[in-house]
Amino acid sequence: MLKTPVIHPTIMEVLARSGHFAQVVIADGNLPVGAMTGPNSTTVHLNFRPGLLDAITVLVGILEVCPVQGAIVMEKPVEANAEIHTAYKKILGDVTWDEMERWAFYDKIREPATTLIIQTGEQRRFANLILTVGVVKMAEECGF
């Protein structure tokens, strides 16, 4: 019986085999994940119905079990609202942050480094997020 905050068996298995620089995608309910599958990616569908589970809930869960060193979001059009990006930055804290043009973002998801795509029921636009897995620091490295 697992006592970690995340107990989804497929998510835990894929995270366990994802090493440094692996990419984990948290997808909104609109991303065509079937067209985004890369050679090493596993897709988990958590989009039971719109709004369940949302991207923030999934992000918080991932951060509780996996080190993250970077994040990438899709650039939004100037006139669009992407308040979720501000929420991501606040939750992620001190990680590298980047924005990519839409088609380059899609290509990034398809890279061999992507090990996990989690499709959520998130309805906010521009909520797709690519996380770069970091390393677990040893106690003596915490000041490094």
Side-chain angles (χ1 to χ4, degrees):
M1 187 59 92
L2 296 174
K3 292 176 66 176
T4 64
V6 176
I7 60 171
H8 191 285
T10 305
I11 291 173
M12 292 299 290
E13 186 268 328
V14 176
L15 289 176
R17 63 179 167 80
S18 297
H20 191 208
F21 297 119
Q23 295 177 168
V24 173
V25 177
I26 298 175
D28 64 29
N30 298 308
L31 186 74
V33 295
M36 299 289 127
T37 304
N40 299 314
S41 65
T42 298
T43 300
V44 173
H45 299 277
L46 298 180
N47 53 337
F48 178 67
R49 64 188 268 196
L52 294 177
L53 272 100
D54 66 273
I56 297 291
T57 300
V58 173
L59 174 60
V60 169
I62 295 298
L63 292 175
E64 290 177 332
V65 296
C66 183
V68 171
Q69 69 181 35
I72 304 169
V73 293
M74 184 188 304
E75 288 177 343
K76 67 170 189 66
V78 176
E79 67 280 359
N81 179 349
E83 291 177 6
I84 195 163
H85 292 181
T86 303
Y88 287 158
K89 287 179 181 179
K90 183 177 179 182
I91 293 165
L92 286 163
D94 189 28
V95 302
T96 60
W97 181 265
D98 198 9
E99 295 183 6
M100 295 183 102
E101 181 275 329
R102 179 183 193 171
W103 301 108
F105 184 85
Y106 291 162
D107 288 342
K108 184 81 172 158
I109 291 172
R110 292 184 189 100
E111 288 182 356
T114 299
T115 55
L116 179 61
I117 301 171
I118 303 170
Q119 182 147 47
T120 68
E122 181 62 62
Q123 295 300 291
R124 289 173 279 191
R125 296 190 64 215
F126 305 101
N128 298 305
L129 176 67
I130 301 171
L131 302 171
T132 302
V133 174
V135 295
V136 176
K137 294 183 179 179
M138 305 297 287
E140 59 271 13
E141 294 179 310
C142 286
F144 178 60

